Amino acid sequence: LFRSNATSPKIPAVLSGIVTGIRGLDDFHLKPRVLHHVRPSYYSSEYGQFLAPGDIATIYDINALYNASTPIDGTGQKLAVIEQTDVYLSDLNDFRTGFGLSSIGCTTGSTGLITACSDPRLEYDLISPDPGTASAGDLSEADLDLEWAGAVARNAQLIYVNAPAEYASNGNLVSGGVWDSWYYAVDQDLAAVITMSYGNCEFDFDYSVSGSADETELQKANSEGITFVNSAGDSGAAECDPNNTDQNGASATGGLAVTYPASSRK
């Protein structure tokens, strides 16, 4: 049982300029947002609690789609996942079997990296020469994207488009990368839905450049009826100041921004 006022409180008009609020009229308290009741296997002493596919289905009210007379679960659909690294089949299957999803059968090399795949749940498309290694900086992103896309669209075929990135000694991209991957996915019309979790500060892109290749390619995707989903970034509206300060410790100066191509006008 809790106590609370049933009607809005009133104060004398003469106090209206100095009273900004009244506390103590109820005994409702703020509560921690952590979910305490989780399955034991979804808890790690190192990382804490995890969300499972069933949690996502509940949070976003997807169960109604799964349980419809004609289930909407990705059946008959293809979803292109845009990345730039080789991936381990065991990572994907550990996630899938651990959460009751069907495992995927692919061809792998001696290290367990996928080299070819034409499974009902996964197709593997390699766009540039395969280095035969996983990129440490990109692997977790690729695993995340593949695992959760497959967890939500459970019966869709994921098309993993991989253009392994090659960098020069100065850090500049030489070839490959997600830009090559998503261009290929659009040009080949691989899937009705494309998802990519990479981007750059939107201010680094000049919309005024006539015939921009990126904008033209996105317009092409639009004309093909492709739904292109891109992450707006992990830093919210501070995507052009991801670390909140510059190298000299000064305040963020980028201004409110998200990433491109999430900010595309096409």
Side-chain angles (χ1 to χ4, degrees):
L1 296 178
F2 292 91
R3 182 191 76 252
S4 177
N5 51 301
T7 60
S8 299
K10 297 180 180 181
I11 60 172
V14 294
L15 298 179
S16 62
I18 59 174
V19 176
T20 59
I22 302 174
R23 288 184 174 178
L25 299 183
D26 65 70
D27 58 356
F28 290 99
H29 302 294
L30 298 180
K31 298 178 176 61
R33 296 295 87 192
V34 177
L35 180 66
H36 292 286
H37 304 289
V38 297
R39 299 182 185 181
S41 58
Y42 298 163
Y43 177 82
S44 162
S45 59
E46 181 178 1
Y47 298 109
Q49 298 169 84
F50 294 88
L51 285 177
D55 296 321
I56 299 299
T58 298
I59 293 169
Y60 290 99
D61 199 21
I62 305 174
N63 285 314
L65 300 179
Y66 294 155
N67 298 326
S69 56
T70 302
I72 301 175
D73 55 9
T75 300
Q77 301 297 316
K78 293 184 177 183
L79 170 63
V81 181
I82 306 302
E83 305 291 345
Q84 57 183 22
T85 180
D86 291 3
V87 290
Y88 293 98
L89 179 62
S90 60
D91 285 351
L92 308 182
N93 280 336
D94 285 348
F95 176 91
R96 294 180 66 87
T97 57
F99 290 122
L101 303 171
S102 58
S103 60
I104 297 172
C106 300
T107 301
T108 61
S110 59
T111 61
L113 293 169
I114 296 175
T115 57
C117 197
S118 186
D119 185 272
R121 297 291 183 269
L122 181 66
E123 175 184 314
Y124 181 76
D125 284 23
L126 180 68
I127 310 308
S128 58
D130 192 348
T133 58
S135 168
D138 298 300
L139 180 60
S140 59
E141 183 69 46
D143 283 346
L144 174 71
D145 294 344
L146 283 169
E147 290 165 359
W148 284 99
V152 176
R154 300 172 178 178
N155 287 326
Q157 184 183 46
L158 306 182
I159 302 179
Y160 186 74
V161 188
N162 177 24
E166 179 183 352
Y167 296 95
S169 58
N170 61 3
N172 292 333
L173 182 68
V174 176
S175 64
V178 290
W179 251 239
D180 287 2
S181 293
W182 74 259
Y183 268 53
Y184 179 86
V186 172
D187 292 345
Q188 300 300 315
D189 198 10
L190 292 182
V193 179
I194 294 174
T195 178
M196 182 174 78
S197 298
Y198 289 75
N200 289 328
C201 167
E202 65 172 326
F203 296 148
D204 293 338
F205 182 84
D206 187 356
Y207 292 99
S208 65
V209 177
S210 178
S212 161
D214 294 336
E215 287 291 270
T216 299
E217 196 71 17
L218 290 170
Q219 188 171 22
K220 180 178 181 180
N222 197 343
S223 69
E224 293 174 359
I226 294 174
T227 298
F228 197 127
V229 182
N230 179 234
S231 168
D234 295 338
S235 300
E239 200 59 30
C240 291
D241 286 301
N243 298 318
N244 298 321
T245 60
D246 66 15
Q247 59 185 354
N248 298 316
S251 298
T253 57
L256 299 178
V258 295
T259 63
Y260 182 86
S263 61
S264 170
R265 300 174 181 179
K266 301 301 183 182

